[in-house]
């Protein structure tokens, strides 16, 4: 049985985390999702430090997905740290952010991000799902049908989160 690729998500927004989990579930991706709230926790996870020492429970990720604006360490700072360490230079990084500003996209790509997804587009989930598929080689179970279900279910979840 092939090992599921592990995706490490770095985001302090619980609602975004919930939407990401839903999108992956609806797409039928055979991936294992891990979530941390900031860049410092992400580096601890990656290096197997502190609460992340158990590699059976916290496997080394195949892809890292990070927000830009977070407490303690920004996504830009996380990218700089990742690309400064030889063992993490090859780790694919997808940045997703509420910023659609060209300067933020350019800076993220210059710092070594492999993809950049704007969060407003993320609410449709398809761009994030496609970026994860591109970097893991994972295939969605029934991509067309799952993506459309994810959009309607995502609206339902966003409505619940606003209440």
């Amino acid at each position: 049985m092939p090992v599921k690729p592990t995706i490490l998500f770095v985001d302090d927004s619980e609602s975004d985390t919930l939407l990401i989990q839903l999108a992956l579930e609806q797409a039928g991706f055979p991936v294992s999702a891990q979530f941390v709230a900031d860049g410092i926790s992400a580096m601890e996870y990656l290096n197997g430090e502190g609460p992340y020492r158990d590699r059976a429970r916290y496997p080394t990720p195949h892809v890292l997905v990070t927000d830009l604006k977070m407490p303690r360490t920004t996504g830009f700072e996380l990218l700089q740290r990742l690309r400064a360490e030889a063992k993490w230079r090859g780790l694919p990084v997808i940045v997703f952010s509420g910023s659609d500003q060209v300067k933020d996209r350019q800076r993220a790509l210059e710092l070594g991000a492999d993809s950049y997804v704007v969060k407003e587009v993320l609410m449709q989930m398809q761009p994030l799902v496609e970026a994860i598929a591109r970097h893991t080689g994972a295939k969605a179970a029934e991509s067309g049908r799952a993506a459309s279900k994810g959009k309607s279910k995502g609206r339902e979840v966003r409505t619940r989160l606003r209440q």
Side-chain angles (χ1 to χ4, degrees):
M1 177 178 215
V3 176
K4 290 190 230 180
T6 298
I7 314 298
L8 177 59
F9 291 91
V10 187
D11 195 326
D12 62 317
S13 168
E14 288 183 36
S15 59
D16 287 350
T17 298
L18 178 62
L19 290 169
I20 290 164
Q21 288 173 318
L22 180 65
L24 293 172
E25 187 179 298
Q26 292 297 317
F29 268 166
V31 298
S32 171
Q34 297 285 336
F35 295 86
V36 296
D38 58 59
I40 291 173
S41 297
M43 291 307 297
E44 289 174 350
Y45 181 105
L46 290 169
N47 293 317
E49 299 169 345
Y52 307 106
R53 285 196 172 124
D54 181 358
R55 280 298 182 205
R57 189 171 176 193
Y58 303 106
T60 302
H62 296 83
V63 175
L64 184 141
V65 178
T66 185
D67 191 5
L68 289 179
K69 295 180 178 143
M70 298 176 290
R72 301 193 326 160
T73 303
T74 69
F76 293 126
E77 292 165 335
L78 177 58
L79 271 167
Q80 287 176 314
R81 288 186 69 190
L82 287 171
R83 297 315 185 214
E85 291 189 32
K87 67 181 174 181
W88 302 121
R89 282 189 196 131
L91 177 67
V93 176
I94 301 168
V95 170
F96 70 99
S97 172
S99 172
D100 63 356
Q101 300 217 354
V102 173
K103 67 178 179 140
D104 287 341
R105 178 184 301 266
Q106 286 176 333
R107 183 171 179 211
L109 295 173
E110 287 169 2
L111 289 172
D114 296 284
S115 297
Y116 190 101
V117 178
V118 177
K119 277 190 178 184
E120 289 178 12
V121 174
L122 176 68
M123 296 310 176
Q124 296 174 5
M125 299 301 169
Q126 193 62 32
L128 178 62
V129 169
E130 289 171 0
I132 290 170
R134 200 169 42 251
H135 295 292
T136 63
K139 303 283 186 231
E142 293 176 38
S143 60
R145 198 176 75 172
S148 69
K149 279 184 183 176
K151 287 179 187 178
S152 67
K153 187 77 169 177
R155 280 191 290 274
E156 177 183 311
V157 170
R158 284 193 302 279
T159 301
R160 274 191 284 151
L161 290 171
R162 288 185 192 131
Q163 297 174 346

